[in-house]
Every structure is written in C-alpha cells, then in structure tokens.
Amino acid sequence: MRKFSYLAAAGVAVALLTACATGPRPNPMSFFVTSAGSGKGADLGGLAGADAHCQRLATAVGAGGKNWRAYLSTPPTFASATAPAVAATHARDRVGAGPWFNVKGDMIARSVSHLHDGNFISKATALDERGNVIKGRGDTPNEHDILTGSRADGTAFAPQTDTTCKAWTSSTDGSAIVGHHDLIGPNTDNWAKSWNFSHQSAGCSQEALVRTGGAGKFYCFAAN
C-alpha cells in the first residue's frame, strides 16, 4: 500500500511538471521579423498585403489570434484633379501600445515611446516568428536591411522622394528606407546603426534589395 502511495505521488509530481513545461508562456510573442519577404522585392501588396503576410506567418506558428501589423509607413499624397489628398500613415501609429515580446519572451519595448527611444532590439532579440536569428552584417548572405519607410521616430517622410517603393506596391522603380536589425552599419554614426532608419535601398526589386544587404523582410507587431 505504501509503495502504491509513493508511485501515485510520483505520478502527480510528473503531471505537475509536465503542465508547467507545456503551459502558456508568461510573455506570448507579439513581435517578430518576417522569416521571408513577399518574394516580389518591396512590392508587399501595400500595407494591407504586408499586414496579411504578418498574419499568415504568425498563424503558422500558432499566434494568429492577435491583430498583426507591419511596421511600415507610407507618405501622404497631394490632391489632384481626379483624386483627393491622402494623409500619411505612420508606422508608430500602426503597432498598438505595447509592450512587445519576441518568440522567446524577451521584451522588445515597453511602449511606443520606448520603441523609438531605448528599445531592446538587437540581432539577438529581433528573431523571426520561429525563433531563428536573422542574418546580419558578417553573415552570408547579409540580410540586415529591414524595410520600414520610416524616420527614426516612426513617422513617414514627405512625398517628394520615394521612400516606400510607391507605398509598398513597386518591385521595379523607386526606393525604400530600411533599418538594421543588428544595429551594425558601415560606420559608427547613429544613422548607420538605426533599427528603423539607416539608408535607402538601391531599388525595389528583390535583386536590388539583396544588393544593398536585405531580403525584403520587415518587422511585425501585435497591435492588440
């Protein structure tokens, strides 16, 4: 009888340990870098297409219950004879209030203000939706150019110069602002190391993005 009690107690202990190991993570994923781009360079199908890409990747790893948004800006457009003016879309306004965590539960930022001043983004934390490290400077190939179309404060640029590959619909003409997820640039200036505002791409095609150190990947945040 005593032997049975010991075995029963041991079984309960194993069950409790298993439940703890398989229970929900304290900080579910609410941020990732896309494991792949659209395959069409910076033509993401606009903001709606980019958001849908984030949602698909998140759903594939069991995180589709959140409202996923791409961290991308688009500039305003001026009114014309045939169309009204359209206001800018700012990446910082698309991603919710935070906090955000990567797939391992590491905090990325506490709030929108923290995201744009003092966040914890680095090569070690800016993981894809499966927890893989995104290749950076020094790796082959270098893929540290992350599409943003944004200023350092997460706002859009003026419309005079294309900084978003025609609002993320072009895989030919234009250019896009990118950041460096690994915070490494060609020199030590802050602009070169920025996670969201480092330089413009050589073009909008997949080949052009690869040539300047990218692969058409972008940041995804859970907005709720």
Side-chain angles (χ1 to χ4, degrees):
M1 189 72 177
R2 183 174 297 174
K3 181 177 180 181
F4 176 79
S5 298
Y6 288 153
L7 290 174
V12 170
V14 169
L16 288 172
L17 288 172
T18 301
C20 290
T22 59
R25 290 172 300 204
N27 298 313
M29 180 179 72
S30 49
F31 162 88
F32 62 89
V33 180
T34 60
S35 57
S38 69
K40 299 186 293 182
D43 179 0
L44 309 177
L47 291 177
D51 290 346
H53 189 60
C54 288
Q55 198 74 44
R56 281 192 298 272
L57 294 179
T59 299
V61 295
K66 300 177 184 295
N67 180 22
W68 289 93
R69 295 287 187 86
Y71 182 91
L72 297 169
S73 294
T74 57
T77 61
F78 297 122
S80 68
T82 58
V86 176
T89 298
H90 306 300
R92 65 179 294 131
D93 296 336
R94 311 191 75 245
V95 296
W100 301 279
F101 303 88
N102 68 12
V103 68
K104 293 185 176 181
D106 300 320
M107 179 179 281
I108 295 302
R110 294 184 295 271
S111 63
V112 172
S113 59
H114 184 221
L115 179 63
H116 295 93
D117 184 10
N119 66 58
F120 303 128
I121 291 176
S122 68
K123 184 180 179 181
T125 62
L127 306 174
D128 72 16
E129 72 279 1
R130 299 183 182 277
N132 297 315
V133 174
I134 304 297
K135 290 182 173 63
R137 183 173 289 274
D139 298 325
T140 303
N142 175 19
E143 297 180 344
H144 74 168
D145 284 0
I146 309 298
L147 300 171
T148 70
S150 304
R151 301 176 188 271
D153 65 356
T155 59
F157 286 82
Q160 285 84 351
T161 301
D162 186 13
T163 55
T164 62
C165 289
K166 304 188 187 312
W168 313 112
T169 62
S170 174
S171 59
T172 53
D173 299 333
S175 181
I177 291 291
V178 301
H180 291 164
H181 81 293
D182 59 359
L183 311 183
I184 300 175
N187 58 50
T188 58
D189 292 336
N190 287 335
W191 64 263
K193 300 182 293 181
S194 173
W195 71 280
N196 67 341
F197 173 36
S198 183
H199 60 83
Q200 287 190 258
S201 66
C204 298
S205 69
Q206 190 69 18
E207 183 277 330
L209 298 181
V210 170
R211 182 158 27 105
T212 46
K217 299 179 179 182
F218 47 96
Y219 300 110
C220 297
F221 288 79
N224 63 352

